[in-house]
Amino acid sequence: MTIFAQLLGAVKYIVKKADMVLLGLCLVCTAFGIVLIASATNYLGASTQLRRVIIQAAGAVIGIGAYFILSNVDVEHFAEKWWIFFLFGLGFIALLRWFGVDDGTGNRAWLKFPGVPVSIQPAEVVKLTYTVLLAKQIAWFRDNRRMKGLGSLLFPAAHAGFMFVWIYFFSRDAGSGLVYLIIYAGMALAAGLAWYWFAIGIGGLGMAIGLLAVFEKLPTYWVNRFRVIIDHSFDPRGVGYQQNRGMLALGSGGLFGQGLFQGIQTQGGEGSLPARQTDFIFCVCGDELGMVGCVLIILLEFLLVYRCFQTARQAKSSMDALICVGFAAMLIFQTVENIGMCLFVMPVIGLTLPFFSYGGSSVVTLYATMGIVSGVRSRTLPDWLRKT
């Protein structure tokens, strides 16, 4: 057998183990997103537009490679060396202290190394190892203590809380840290943690935030971002500017939109629709493809989440199932928050729309997360061995 034939056989084996339905959904979302990014950056000129499109496409290609690799990896084996991945996550995020880049809002969420043309968001990458390790931890409590003891709440919650604080300390990016807490909440709920713990936690957090706000201990921009949700007329040219422009874009599109590369807000100048290729890509869709295009985005995100939950139900172990649930919770929260932000019902916290918003490290990480889900699906038990 020739080397070429052996290589072809290996490729066929790798592809055969991957969940091609899930990959197909990811590719459709990415292609749709690239078209929207091309339109959103059209006003910047052909060279900048092409650069953004190439970066997004390159991220997708790298992500597809990661997808196939992780589809053939049993992450449970890697989780046995949990301390290595835990320390890697802490160290990678801590690099922001020396190589972090301020995005103009006070956040230092991006790493930019000298001489390297691209930047990386560590919180996105570490999300992979964090979810796997947290799933291992919660699965142990579920299988050994049935999520009944106080330890089954405190230890995983402390892990999630510590990561939130660590991310915020080095980057001041509360939005990315919040995703980590949501992943924990989704896993804990799926593992059977009692509802009253969630009620206590949410109630306690709400009281703490309220007290901090009363005593003016919260950053002013945090308070204002929530205030503008309640009162849309508050500071319309300041903290409410982005969302006001986003609502104009969504409203101007109507049912079918004004056409690709034809949106009034999307094709306007610099101040027309801020962050249109990242945080407000959903508004670009509404402006140019109307409600029909927006519904299509929601449907595609729903199908991705559904596939994750479907895989979780068929998983061969608690840990594998919880990994899928954690990534599904991530997709749900980021989608709901991003779209809610565009609809002016959620605060702006800098979360992108999965697979649609511009961001190389984001799209690579998303493909990697779905690759892990695909790997779980390739290891599912046959129907005759699965408990009913």
Side-chain angles (χ1 to χ4, degrees), residues 148-179:
K148 299 298 182 182
L150 188 60
S152 60
L153 166 72
L154 292 180
F155 284 102
H159 183 186
F162 174 78
M163 291 303 298
F164 174 86
V165 172
W166 191 262
I167 291 169
Y168 184 74
F169 177 78
F170 284 102
S171 70
R172 292 296 185 267
D173 183 9
S176 294
L178 188 57
V179 175

